[in-house]
Amino acid sequence: MNPKTVLAFRLIGWSAGIGLLGAVLLKGSPWGINAPLFVAALACAIVAAAKSRELPGQRLGCVLLALSIVFASGLAWRDSATLRFLDASAAVICLVLGTLALRMSRLPDGGFLSHLFSMGRIGRDAAFGMPGIVVNEVDWVELPRPTWTRHLKSVARGLAVAVPVLLVFGGLLASADAAFESLLSIPLDIDGQLIATYVGIGSVCMWITGGLLRGTAFGEDPEVRKPLQVALTAGIVEVGIVLGTLNLLFLAFVGVQLTYLFGSNEFVVNGPSYAEYARRGFFELVAVTALALPVILVSRSLLRDGRAAAHRVFAALSGTLIVLLFVVMASAVQRMNLYTAQYGL
């Protein structure tokens, strides 16, 4: 394994550790002693990443990072909103300038605008640098791959696309039907909001840390830091996961619809009014219909698997989805028919 790949995996591990630390330390508010502890951990990781390049003259950067810890400690000193804002601002500025000094062995010349532009590059790395560690810095070709892991990357890519797609369609279908909404919200003895808070804070901390560490460890050399390049192609594994999970979601919705025959009069009489039932469901189901066809077309355009079996699998999954989509459309039409039968056009 070449040194670049080893360093990339090291940065990923540091980023994950600081993300976990951030989720634990930064959840509570207002911030106090937890802020300087997190800043200290982040500063240590940045210094370690800079040491991997063995650049001379890194004393100024270390001093500025130490000042960022001092200013972050001010959050635990006074409870004044003005002082807390000034302390937090000074800590962020010192952290950015310290990172910049470590990368260049000095601060850039040229005055305020030059400093501002350079700080903007640090912000760019924090926002967009993390994926580059995995995509550009790790040499995946040289890594040993057991037989069972051949399709692991494809499965991960498919799940990464399927989850947001399911959230969008699941939200629309849940908004369209109260019974389906109750099916999705089966009570569990889990504090979902607490878990989402931890995951959100940890993910943001890991993302920002990874971007800062990548720029610090690999520098600004265009031959070293290539732009992020992701091919817009997909295999049958990725496409199959997206369409397959979408089929399961639609099938569950259709099963709920069949229990009361697409909203019969008895259901509406014993439940919501005709207006509420039609307004809640019709337009959401129209949106589902409008979004489902582009998903199929985009999946087909991204599929780059020349095997006949792959195309047969795609045809079966997309055909099933279209059939279920017609059932969803029938439910939407039935809702509007119930509305117009009572109130007219």
Side-chain angles (χ1 to χ4, degrees):
M1 189 181 301
N2 64 54
K4 180 182 175 182
T5 300
V6 173
L7 178 57
F9 278 120
R10 191 177 300 162
L11 297 184
I12 293 173
W14 292 347
S15 302
I18 293 180
L20 181 61
L21 185 65
V24 175
L25 291 178
L26 302 182
K27 177 187 176 295
S29 62
W31 290 347
I33 194 63
N34 51 352
L37 290 176
F38 175 77
V39 173
L42 179 58
C44 290
I46 294 173
V47 171
K51 291 293 184 183
S52 65
R53 297 181 61 196
E54 299 181 352
L55 292 176
Q58 296 180 336
R59 182 178 301 176
L60 176 60
C62 294
V63 171
L64 288 169
L65 291 178
L67 284 176
S68 71
I69 301 173
V70 173
F71 283 117
S73 301
L75 295 174
W77 182 28
R78 292 292 182 90
D79 198 29
S80 168
T82 302
L83 289 178
R84 292 175 66 85
F85 173 77
L86 293 175
D87 284 330
S89 301
V92 171
I93 293 173
C94 288
L95 185 67
V96 173
L97 290 177
T99 304
L100 187 62
L102 286 175
R103 293 186 185 186
M104 306 176 65
S105 299
R106 59 179 176 82
L107 290 177
D109 299 325
F112 175 75
L113 291 180
S114 178
H115 284 73
L116 194 62
F117 177 76
S118 299
M119 292 172 68
R121 290 191 300 180
I122 301 293
R124 176 204 63 189
D125 288 342
F128 305 108
M130 180 63 185
I133 301 179
V134 179
V135 177
N136 292 332
E137 314 303 352
V138 177
D139 189 358
W140 297 100
V141 177
E142 70 166 7
L143 298 180
R145 298 184 181 182
T147 305
W148 63 271
T149 61
R150 286 187 308 168
H151 301 298
L152 189 60
K153 186 177 179 181
S154 298
V155 172
R157 290 172 58 186
L159 291 175
V161 176
V163 169
V165 171
L166 287 177
L167 290 176
V168 171
F169 281 96
L172 288 172
L173 293 175
S175 299
D177 190 270
F180 187 69
E181 182 182 26
S182 63
L183 177 65
L184 293 183
S185 59
I186 298 175
L188 298 174
D189 191 18
I190 297 176
D191 191 342
Q193 185 176 1
L194 181 63
I195 294 177
T197 301
Y198 277 114
V199 172
I201 295 175
S203 299
V204 171
C205 292
M206 178 180 175
W207 184 277
I208 294 175
T209 302
L212 293 176
L213 296 184
R214 185 203 179 202
T216 303
F218 293 101
E220 296 292 340
D221 187 352
E223 294 183 359
V224 176
R225 295 195 60 208
K226 301 177 292 185
L228 181 62
Q229 298 174 352
V230 180
L232 294 178
T233 60
I236 189 58
V237 177
E238 296 96 320
V239 173
I241 289 175
V242 174
L243 296 182
T245 53
L246 206 54
N247 273 325
L248 292 176
L249 179 66
F250 276 40
L251 185 63
F253 180 79
V254 168
V256 172
Q257 298 296 291
L258 292 176
T259 57
Y260 48 80
L261 300 177
F262 302 103
S264 61
N265 280 310
E266 290 77 10
F267 171 76
V268 181
V269 167
N270 297 322
S273 67
Y274 288 99
E276 291 172 344
Y277 185 52
R279 288 172 183 166
R280 172 165 186 171
F282 180 77
F283 295 103
E284 286 84 351
L285 296 181
V286 169
V288 168
T289 304
L291 292 174
L293 292 179
V295 169
I296 296 175
L297 294 175
V298 170
S299 300
R300 178 64 185 87
S301 64
L302 295 180
L303 183 61
R304 292 292 184 270
D305 195 327
R307 295 175 298 175
H311 288 272
R312 286 197 296 268
V313 171
F314 173 81
L317 291 174
S318 58
T320 303
L321 186 60
I322 290 174
V323 171
L324 294 174
L325 190 60
F326 272 107
V327 180
V328 172
M329 293 166 61
S331 177
V333 171
Q334 178 65 8
R335 291 166 187 266
M336 190 54 65
N337 285 337
L338 287 172
Y339 181 85
T340 56
Q342 296 298 318
Y343 303 109
L345 293 175

